[in-house]
Amino acid sequence: MKNILIISICILLGTPLFLNAQTKTDSIEYKIEGKIIGKTGMILKVQQNQSDTIPKIGDKGELSKYFESNIFGGKTTGWLLVAKVMVTGIVKNNITFKILKEESIITINGAKKNNFEIGKTVKFIWKIPELNQPKTE
């Protein structure tokens, strides 16, 4: 009787997890880097470094900026996620993004820090489901 009770509890607790399970699809992640060349309102222009990968208009992803700082006598570098963006235009190596949502709002002495300064190095990462990839044979 005790075993039946334990099994019943496990089934009751596990059923919602099973019913809410979603099939996960694999996706391929792409990345480009470049420098900010302009910003007007929520429109950001980036000059892409030479790369074989080019996003398409409508691709959405994450934009991160490169940072360097000195903390406790040591140099720290990395990438800071600053916005969710969407590609709205591409002309040669210049890519125009629409900022959908700012992610890292930093204030210094009560003033909001500009995460989109001209000349800053940025990285755009987007994913495309593997099902949408062209087949190679």
Side-chain angles (χ1 to χ4, degrees):
M1 185 68 174
K2 186 177 181 181
N3 289 339
I4 293 174
L5 181 62
I6 292 172
I7 292 171
S8 298
I9 290 172
C10 289
I11 290 172
L12 288 173
L13 293 175
T15 301
L17 296 174
F18 178 76
L19 293 176
N20 288 333
Q22 296 178 354
T23 305
K24 294 189 178 192
T25 59
D26 290 332
S27 60
I28 298 175
E29 184 174 280
Y30 295 95
K31 170 180 77 168
I32 59 168
E33 292 183 22
K35 294 204 181 289
I36 297 175
I37 57 173
K39 180 178 183 286
T40 305
M42 298 302 275
I43 304 299
L44 184 69
K45 292 190 179 189
V46 174
Q47 184 176 32
Q48 175 184 351
N49 295 344
Q50 295 294 36
S51 173
D52 293 336
T53 307
I54 298 174
K56 294 182 297 211
I57 293 175
D59 283 343
K60 294 179 183 178
E62 297 178 336
L63 190 76
S64 301
K65 75 172 186 175
Y66 181 76
F67 71 89
E68 293 180 359
S69 63
N70 295 319
I71 299 177
F72 305 117
K75 185 176 183 179
T76 303
T77 62
W79 293 95
L80 175 67
L81 174 65
V82 292
K84 302 279 186 184
V85 296
M86 178 175 70
V87 177
T88 58
I90 302 169
V91 178
K92 295 187 181 181
N93 286 344
N94 294 337
I95 301 173
T96 304
F97 295 99
K98 178 179 180 183
I99 299 171
L100 302 173
K101 180 181 178 190
E102 284 192 54
E103 293 291 334
S104 298
I105 299 173
I106 300 170
T107 55
I108 299 175
N109 296 328
K112 180 180 170 191
K113 180 168 175 50
N114 181 9
N115 285 321
F116 307 103
E117 295 175 26
I118 293 175
K120 290 291 183 179
T121 300
V122 292
K123 170 173 67 173
F124 174 58
I125 297 175
W126 74 101
K127 295 180 182 180
I128 299 176
E130 196 169 31
L131 298 174
N132 293 342
Q133 298 301 313
K135 293 183 180 179
T136 56
E137 296 181 32

